């Protein structure tokens, strides 16, 4: 499953509004970190997000990615889920559940009203 352009735009708007409402600057690095997460359905960990962002923003550090993700979590703009031995992040704010494969750790979103 891929995130549609419309859904990505909605997530990005919510992200920008959430930062502004909290009085937090909307920086280029924060935008790119959230975009990397928001476009993914794989529930990536911080290292995966870092590698994706670094292709577009070579100056970004792993520390910046971690600090940004924890800030976004504190603001309620992302959520986390524990999957095996690492924390994974979710930029999808719609109510949903997760299926996690016990063997490989693949995580999928499941929607059910």
């Amino acid at each position: 499953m891929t995130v549609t352009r419309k859904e990505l735009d909605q997530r990005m708007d919510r992200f920008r509004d959430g930062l502004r409402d909290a009085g937090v600057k909307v920086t280029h690095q924060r935008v790119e970190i959230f975009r990397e997460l928001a476009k993914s359905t794989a529930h990536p960990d911080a290292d995966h997000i870092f590698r994706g962002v670094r292709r577009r923003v070579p100056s970004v550090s792993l520390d910046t990615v971690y600090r940004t993700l924890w800030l976004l979590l504190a603001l309620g703009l992302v959520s986390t889920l524990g999957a095996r031995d690492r924390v994974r992040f979710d930029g999808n704010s719609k109510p949903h559940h997760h299926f996690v494969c016990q063997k490989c750790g693949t995580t999928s979103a499941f929607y059910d009203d």
Side-chain angles (χ1 to χ4, degrees):
M1 183 175 142
T2 60
V3 176
T4 66
R5 180 65 186 179
K6 180 179 177 183
E7 177 66 25
L8 179 59
D9 289 345
Q10 290 172 347
R11 291 179 186 184
M12 295 305 299
D13 288 344
R14 180 176 170 271
F15 158 77
R16 286 185 185 96
D17 291 345
L19 287 184
R20 287 186 189 115
D21 290 349
V24 176
K25 282 187 173 181
V26 179
T27 66
H28 176 66
Q29 288 186 338
R30 288 179 180 148
V31 168
E32 289 303 318
I33 290 165
F34 184 78
R35 183 186 316 280
E36 189 69 25
L37 175 59
K39 71 181 187 178
S40 175
T41 60
H43 305 85
D45 63 11
D47 290 327
H48 182 87
I49 294 167
F50 169 68
R51 288 190 304 272
V53 172
R54 192 145 195 193
R55 283 181 252 147
R56 296 185 306 279
V57 185
S59 63
V60 73
S61 70
L62 182 57
D63 181 61
T64 297
V65 171
Y66 271 105
R67 283 186 291 111
T68 298
L69 291 170
W70 293 125
L71 170 66
L72 298 178
L73 179 66
L75 295 175
L77 299 174
V78 303
S79 59
T80 60
L81 57 140
R84 303 180 78 146
D85 60 347
R86 65 184 189 258
V87 174
R88 296 171 72 163
F89 294 87
D90 191 351
N92 180 359
S93 63
K94 291 182 180 176
H96 64 285
H97 303 281
H98 296 103
F99 285 125
V100 180
C101 178
Q102 300 256 351
K103 292 183 181 181
C104 71
T106 298
T107 305
S108 300
F110 173 74
Y111 300 91
D112 183 24
D113 295 334

